[in-house]
């Protein structure tokens, strides 16, 4: 577990983060991190919790997040993320908590989500597909 919540961290999330192959929980929320979420985040195959909310992250959500098959919690809210929500999020079989509110995302949560049983925490016009 790596919990650096609320430490006033600045700069970018390092691409070398993928070297922490045994990491199960990553909590970097409530800092001042900028830049994009590195594509290499998808190499953290043991990750069950990813909390990057309440930073200044920008750019697209990387497709590689869909490789985190053990992920059950994904908090990306209160950033400046743009683009559409990647369809790869729909391939996360254990995902139960998802929060994407207060970003600049467009479109809807991908239709793949309809096959998942999720606790919906997505807000601001991002709603689960109707069944």
């Amino acid at each position: 577990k790596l919990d650096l919540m609320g430490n006033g961290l600045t700069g970018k999330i390092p691409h070398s983060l993928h070297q922490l192959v045994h990491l199960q929980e990553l909590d970097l929320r409530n800092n001042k991190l900028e830049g994009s979420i590195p594509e290499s985040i998808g190499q953290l195959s043991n990750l069950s919790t990813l909390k990057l909310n309440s930073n200044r992250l920008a750019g697209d959500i990387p497709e590689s997040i869909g490789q985190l098959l053990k992920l059950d919690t994904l908090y990306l809210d209160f950033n400046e993320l743009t683009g559409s929500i990647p369809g790869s999020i729909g391939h996360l079989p254990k995902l139960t908590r998802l929060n994407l509110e207060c970003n600049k995302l467009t479109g809807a949560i991908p239709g793949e989500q309809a096959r998942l049983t999720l606790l919906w925490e997505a807000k601001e016009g991002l709603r689960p597909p109707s069944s």
Side-chain angles (χ1 to χ4, degrees), residues 89-110:
I89 287 179
H91 301 288
L92 297 172
K94 298 189 181 224
L95 190 66
T96 56
R97 289 177 291 280
L98 172 65
N99 196 333
L100 303 172
E101 72 176 304
C102 294
N103 280 291
K104 299 173 184 175
L105 297 167
T106 59
I109 293 173

Side-chain angles (χ1 to χ4, degrees), residues 3-131:
D3 185 348
L4 297 173
M5 176 187 81
N7 279 291
L9 299 176
T10 59
K12 297 181 178 185
I13 298 172
H15 290 281
S16 58
L17 188 68
H18 74 278
Q19 296 174 356
L20 301 174
V21 294
H22 299 291
L23 190 63
Q24 295 178 355
E25 296 180 29
L26 178 58
D27 189 347
L28 298 177
R29 63 190 156 144
N30 299 326
N31 283 293
K32 297 174 184 171
L33 296 170
E34 298 177 331
S36 60
I37 300 170
E39 191 72 32
S40 60
I41 201 109
Q43 296 177 30
L44 295 173
S45 60
N46 287 305
L47 208 60
S48 63
T49 300
L50 180 57
K51 296 178 180 177
L52 301 178
N53 48 310
S54 300
N55 279 288
R56 298 174 182 160
L57 298 171
D60 294 338
I61 299 172
E63 281 284 339
S64 66
I65 281 190
Q67 298 170 15
L68 301 175
L69 300 179
K70 295 181 180 179
L71 197 66
D72 62 39
T73 300
L74 178 58
Y75 291 162
L76 301 177
D77 49 304
F78 291 94
N79 281 292
E80 298 172 16
L81 298 170
T82 57
S84 58
I85 302 164
S88 63
I89 287 179
H91 301 288
L92 297 172
K94 298 189 181 224
L95 190 66
T96 56
R97 289 177 291 280
L98 172 65
N99 196 333
L100 303 172
E101 72 176 304
C102 294
N103 280 291
K104 299 173 184 175
L105 297 167
T106 59
I109 293 173
E112 292 92 340
Q113 290 291 8
R115 67 178 180 76
L116 299 176
T117 303
L118 293 177
L119 168 64
W120 289 97
E121 296 180 12
K123 298 180 183 174
E124 285 209 358
L126 302 173
R127 299 284 183 248
S130 57
S131 41

